[in-house]
Amino acid sequence: MKMERAILLQPASALPASRLQRFGNTMQRHNRLIVGIQWAVVAFYLVLVTVPAFLPLPGTGSSVLNNFTLLAQFMFWGIWWPFVIISMLAFGRVWCGVFCPEGTLTELASRYGLGRAVPRWLKWGGWPFVAFVVTTVYGQLVSVYEYPKAVLLVLGGSTVVAIAVGLIYGKGKRVWCRHLCPANGVFALLARLAPVHFRVDRDKWDVAASTHPTPVNCAPLIDMRRMKGGAQCHMCGRCSGHRDAVALIARAPGSEVADLKPAEANAWEARLLVFGVIGTAVGAFQWSSSPWFVEIKTQVATWLIERDSFALLQDNAPWWLLTHYPEANDVFTWLDGLGVLAYIGTTALILGGWITLWLRLGGTLLPGSAKQNGRWLAYALIPMGGLGVFLGLSALTVSLLKAEGIVMPWLPEARGVLLALAALWSIGLAWKMLRDIELWRKALALGALVVAIGGNIFAWALLFYIF
Ligand code: SF4
């Protein structure tokens, strides 16, 4: 039987490799070059994270061109992060496998560490959600986008924990990346849309089992033989060509989501997308521009003053808990901190709740469990979530460029076009997901999804056009 399969497979393996496949194989053969790139990024990252924290804050008249702190801020938040998000949509998780400094450092630490097995608690599916929400909210409390000490604390702290996890768990693995990295869940969602991935041909893999015994070190601990899709794959290329079964191939953008079955939808992934990447991120990008935030905070402060209660109006919190830079006239009171928490939390609950409600209603129209169908439909919102985070991060790019005197009069239109494209992409994905459903159910479920998307667009419209 095995022999027959091998003979049947022969003509396929004799087909010339595609350009992409050859590129994947080149990645595999030139792993040393990738390691070189990784260490160059580590050096660059360490300079950007550490040096500005020991420099004085930029004075008036400072510019990206003459102040290293502003340059680092622009590199990190203006360019690096927005384009890491876009890279996920374009190339999958190449960022993780080829460029990410934390991945490189945690893997190196794991090579020389204790090599313990990954405990059960660390595999809990809720970590990507918790890590994303906590990091996003904490970043707002300490103003991570503005101050280098906060950058050192949040990003540097995360790197130190990544190394510590590497020193304890796995042997040459990226346990941190797979289970705890705050960006892991978001990247896993976005990479599902990418037009390229490493595909594993299970039949070829099994046939070749006895002739290719050398194992590949898949650092993010993927069961390569059963790998479907690109959500967890770091696209490092190490397994390209392995057993003649793994190949970098092109696919229709979003096809991994379009082909997802309702039973495969994961509750934590859906929560991360709806309440985290959409709800929490919108709240985090919105609060500092929101007149509601100022209004409510003023009313609460007035109420407290009338009752001679001044504890929450003190601004004595340390900089690592709440923003505290008197030299820049930027100091949070305890009330500010609570206000930020309340604003982000309320936004996440209202927006996430609105989307969940409509997805659940859409789910009731489909065969099977309404709850599970709602989770499944949530995956159609990945383009909305991804482009929303890109727009939010690029708002920082815009304000940094504005400070440099660069004006972009076309910006409102460009944002509107991007939001419209994201919405259309999400609706198109849902249309494909629902392809086997009878027309009237499909139309109503899509209607529910459109209302859910409307809530998300309204939230971005508040930030970009109304506030
Ligand atoms: S499956 Fe593992 S080894 Fe293969 S490309 Fe993805 S991360 Fe690298």
Side-chain angles (χ1 to χ4, degrees), residues 403-467:
E404 298 299 315
I406 299 170
V407 190
M408 287 166 270
W410 40 266
L411 199 63
E413 289 81 5
R415 283 172 169 158
V417 168
L418 265 183
L419 277 174
L421 286 176
L424 287 175
W425 192 357
S426 284
I427 294 166
L429 265 184
W431 176 265
K432 288 182 187 155
M433 290 165 79
L434 294 165
R435 58 186 171 271
D436 296 329
I437 306 292
E438 52 189 314
L439 192 61
W440 72 270
R441 288 178 189 274
K442 181 171 168 167
L444 287 175
L446 273 179
L449 185 96
V450 168
V451 181
I453 289 175
N456 192 2
I457 289 188
F458 175 69
W460 284 115
L462 280 176
L463 175 61
F464 292 137
Y465 305 105
I466 298 171
F467 287 165

Side-chain angles (χ1 to χ4, degrees), residues 14-251:
L15 287 173
S18 71
R19 239 183 243 180
L20 266 179
Q21 201 172 337
R22 288 202 298 274
F23 184 74
N25 294 341
T26 306
M27 286 175 81
Q28 190 272 332
R29 280 198 305 276
H30 296 282
N31 188 250
R32 277 168 168 267
L33 177 65
I34 292 180
V35 172
I37 294 171
Q38 287 172 328
W39 285 106
V41 178
V42 168
F44 185 59
Y45 168 81
L46 290 178
V47 169
L48 286 190
V49 168
T50 51
V51 173
F54 298 98
L55 297 175
L57 287 176
T60 38
S62 302
S63 134
V64 165
L65 300 176
N66 63 20
N67 185 285
F68 185 71
T69 302
L70 288 178
L71 177 68
Q73 189 187 14
F74 184 66
M75 299 290 286
F76 249 136
W77 305 117
I79 300 175
W80 189 315
W81 276 108
F83 288 97
V84 165
I85 297 290
I86 292 300
S87 80
M88 294 292 148
L89 300 174
F91 312 112
R93 299 180 67 166
V94 174
W95 159 259
C96 301
V98 179
F99 300 102
C100 177
E102 276 188 9
T104 306
L105 290 169
T106 194
E107 187 178 336
L108 177 79
S110 161
R111 233 176 270 158
Y112 301 102
L114 301 175
R116 293 209 180 136
V118 185
R120 251 177 87 116
W121 64 266
L122 221 148
K123 294 179 183 171
W124 178 54
W127 284 126
F129 174 81
V130 173
F132 175 81
V133 170
V134 169
T135 313
T136 305
V137 174
Y138 183 58
Q140 294 301 305
L141 293 177
V142 295
S143 299
V144 71
Y145 298 137
E146 278 93 28
Y147 298 106
K149 276 202 295 189
V151 170
L152 183 59
L153 180 67
V154 176
L155 295 185
S158 153
T159 305
V160 169
V161 181
I163 294 171
V165 170
L167 284 172
I168 301 171
Y169 301 112
K171 237 344 167 207
K173 300 295 180 193
R174 296 184 174 203
V175 176
W176 162 262
C177 309
R178 179 64 194 267
H179 297 293
L180 296 174
C181 168
N184 170 43
V186 184
F187 291 168
L189 286 166
L190 299 182
R192 288 177 185 271
L193 300 179
V196 287
H197 80 136
F198 279 97
R199 185 188 60 191
V200 180
D201 186 320
R202 182 81 176 263
D203 289 337
K204 286 188 185 178
W205 181 288
D206 290 342
V207 167
S210 55
T211 53
H212 294 258
T214 319
V216 171
N217 176 26
C218 176
L221 299 144
I222 294 170
D223 177 358
M224 284 181 285
R225 181 168 171 256
R226 292 183 181 80
M227 183 170 78
K228 284 181 187 163
Q232 294 302 337
C233 170
H234 283 197
M235 304 284 284
C236 68
R238 289 178 205 173
C239 63
S240 187
H242 188 60
R243 297 172 190 250
D244 290 333
V246 187
L248 183 62
I249 60 148
R251 58 182 181 176

